[in-house]
Amino acid sequence: MTVRLPKDEDKHISGSQDIARIMQKILWRQNKFHRNKEYFWTIGLNINNDIEFIELVSIGNQNRNIVSPLDILSLPVSKKCTKIILCHNHPSGNLQASEADLKFTERIRKASSILGIELLDHLIITESNYLSI
């Protein structure tokens, strides 16, 4: 599902802080009940680091989200994006990356590289902070 960029945000991304701020605003759009779930997004960028799309790939439960490389990479491939950023939230507020988060990030890095897509970052966000993996 494609997600709208907040109206007060620019499409150009200069770094992790920009995308974290945007994604936190998107997370805040959800009502309090739904913010207690784990969301996983793929953000597609063009060669100039302008956002081409933000896609909600999956909604999980409070501490788990099941996502496959196909789920993540199908839209960037079809839109011919050269770069992607992954983002998911931790409803618990804990910003520590799990071993599963780290392994999954490396798996996507390898898969996207084969397709000629650069994985720029994987962010974990909470309502007030973020971690760049």
Side-chain angles (χ1 to χ4, degrees):
M1 175 172 116
T2 302
V3 178
R4 284 183 298 110
L5 185 69
K7 291 178 183 177
D8 61 340
E9 291 292 346
D10 185 27
K11 288 180 123 184
H12 185 73
I13 300 299
S14 297
S16 297
Q17 186 176 7
D18 290 343
I19 199 67
R21 182 185 64 250
I22 290 168
M23 297 312 296
Q24 285 168 328
K25 287 179 181 180
I26 289 170
L27 180 62
W28 267 99
R29 284 184 194 161
Q30 303 303 314
N31 66 39
K32 185 63 176 170
F33 176 75
H34 287 107
R35 282 197 305 261
N36 290 328
K37 295 183 179 189
E38 191 169 295
Y39 291 78
F40 196 101
W41 300 273
T42 301
I43 300 97
L45 302 144
N46 64 24
I47 197 153
N48 297 319
N49 284 353
D50 295 328
I51 296 173
E52 292 288 323
F53 67 84
I54 300 171
E55 179 188 27
L56 175 60
V57 177
S58 177
I59 302 172
N61 58 29
Q62 289 183 345
N63 64 352
R64 188 167 181 215
N65 209 331
I66 299 173
V67 184
S68 74
L70 182 60
D71 297 330
I72 290 170
L73 295 171
S74 59
L75 191 57
V77 167
S78 70
K79 295 228 180 224
K80 298 185 175 154
C81 287
T82 56
K83 303 173 187 179
I84 59 170
I85 297 172
L86 307 179
C87 181
H88 76 279
N89 69 310
H90 278 180
S92 67
N94 179 358
L95 281 175
Q96 186 171 351
S98 68
E99 187 65 30
D101 290 334
L102 298 173
K103 286 180 179 179
F104 185 75
T105 302
E106 187 55 32
R107 185 174 176 209
I108 297 302
R109 184 177 311 285
K110 289 176 182 176
S112 63
S113 176
I114 290 169
L115 297 170
I117 299 170
E118 182 182 4
L119 175 59
L120 296 178
D121 206 343
H122 182 174
L123 299 179
I124 297 172
I125 63 170
T126 64
E127 292 182 3
S128 61
N129 212 343
Y130 75 97
L131 170 74
S132 170
I133 298 178

